[in-house]
Amino acid sequence: MHPEPRRRVRGVLVAVLLVAVVAAGAAGWFLRQAGSDGAPSAATPGGGSASPTPSDAPTGHGAGHVPTGHARLSGKVVLLDPGHNLRNRDHTAEIARQVDVGNARKECDTTGTSTDDGYAEASYTLDVARRARALLRAEGAKVVFTQDGDRPFGPCVDERAALGNRVHADAAVSVHADGSAVGNRGFHVILPARVTAGKADTSEIVAPSRALGTEVAGRFKAATGSAPSNYLGHGTGLDVRSDLGGLNLSKVPKVFIECGNMRDPKDAAQLTDPQWRQKAARGIAEGITDFLEH
């Protein structure tokens, strides 16, 4: 037997084993850098994986939109007023307190209405307002809420108006849903009448509020496919009122939108649908945007 060939064979085997060890180590390192789906895992600065999307984050069209270079509403302030408050029902004495709305005295607030299945108007208004806020922020607007589910009740209608005045809102929209008779369907936008009584003077906001309401009504109809109210506004989707403290006491352009009738089964089916609510929010946000760009 010749020893030299054996040494050559042993050398080849050692080299092969070394290559295999190095390759296995490299593969393990790459796997440790990859997430469970094979892509690098997202991490937060403090370690761990990135936080999931919040449960109340808007979904559907426009969700997650980030402005790309041109924030159309940069420098604009929008007040969103989610009507009522889910906790009002636990504070009936407080919300029954009378407040001055200029030409009358009215309740601080009310509980609002609900669908026959118990979906509260206050839940609807807060959800749609949050969705609209995300869309408006994506266009660069500063969005102020009158309440964000963070109050024990209210605020009162005079406080809602006062907040818009205090932040010098460029536009203010109060989000609601109606509680009318079955068969009454569709949306309508409420505009302020000319009221000059007591501390109320809407003289300066009647015209711009009509312009705001017209834009919101048009965009809401286009986004949702919903028809204007068949019981108010004579088919225009616009109604004028002088008895709402949130409008009477406003010094900035402001409207209410009643997005549908919660007591009508067909309207209720839309109002309880998250995808439809996203469309409603888009219509409101686009109407505000059109008004502020003109």
Side-chain angles (χ1 to χ4, degrees):
M1 297 180 68
H2 301 282
E4 185 62 27
R6 283 192 176 185
R7 284 197 296 271
R8 281 201 298 268
V9 170
R10 283 197 297 270
V12 170
L13 288 174
V14 170
V16 170
L17 287 172
L18 285 172
V19 170
V21 168
V22 171
W29 184 89
F30 281 112
L31 287 172
R32 285 192 298 273
Q33 305 310 305
S36 59
D37 60 355
S41 58
T44 60
S49 59
S51 300
T53 302
S55 59
D56 66 345
T59 58
H61 181 90
H65 173 68
V66 176
T68 54
H70 178 52
R72 295 188 291 167
L73 301 184
S74 179
K76 301 295 185 180
V77 178
V78 176
L79 178 88
L80 291 181
D81 178 23
H84 311 289
N85 183 324
L86 198 59
R87 299 185 182 93
N88 279 357
R89 61 194 178 194
D90 302 321
H91 295 271
T92 54
E94 290 90 342
I95 67 171
R97 177 172 64 85
Q98 298 284 298
V99 298
D100 183 3
V101 300
N103 57 1
R105 294 187 69 82
K106 295 190 70 173
E107 297 91 344
C108 157
D109 203 3
T110 64
T111 58
T113 188
S114 67
T115 66
D116 289 342
D117 292 336
Y119 181 58
E121 180 186 359
S123 296
Y124 171 83
T125 64
L126 188 55
D127 180 73
V128 170
R130 285 171 172 168
R131 293 169 184 269
R133 174 173 60 188
L135 297 170
L136 290 164
R137 282 177 171 173
E139 296 294 349
K142 175 183 177 181
V143 182
V144 179
F145 266 34
T146 55
Q147 61 93 9
D148 197 2
D150 53 355
R151 292 178 58 110
F153 62 89
C156 296
V157 294
D158 56 343
E159 293 177 80
R160 293 173 187 264
L163 180 57
N165 299 340
R166 188 161 63 248
V167 301
H168 304 289
D170 296 290
V173 174
S174 187
V175 181
H176 288 263
D178 210 358
S180 188
V182 174
N184 289 345
R185 296 197 61 204
F187 73 92
H188 64 279
V189 177
I190 304 173
L191 314 175
R194 189 177 187 278
V195 176
T196 53
K199 59 183 180 179
D201 185 354
T202 61
S203 302
E204 297 297 321
I205 69 162
V206 167
S209 294
R210 176 170 284 273
L212 170 62
T214 300
E215 296 289 2
V216 169
R219 284 293 196 167
F220 190 88
K221 179 181 177 181
T224 63
S226 181
S229 169
N230 64 5
Y231 61 101
L232 284 171
H234 306 288
T236 65
L238 302 175
D239 187 36
V240 179
R241 288 177 61 173
S242 63
D243 63 326
L244 297 176
L247 297 180
N248 287 2
L249 302 175
S250 182
K251 304 298 182 187
V252 301
K254 186 174 183 179
V255 300
F256 281 43
I257 181 167
E258 299 279 1
C259 298
N261 177 17
M262 299 196 99
R263 309 305 290 182
D264 178 80
K266 292 181 179 178
D267 271 11
Q270 295 180 328
L271 295 164
T272 54
D273 177 7
Q275 293 184 340
W276 190 90
R277 293 199 299 271
Q278 184 66 28
K279 295 176 183 178
R282 177 159 56 90
I284 292 168
E286 289 178 348
I288 293 171
T289 300
D290 285 352
F291 168 73
L292 293 178
E293 285 193 310
H294 289 164

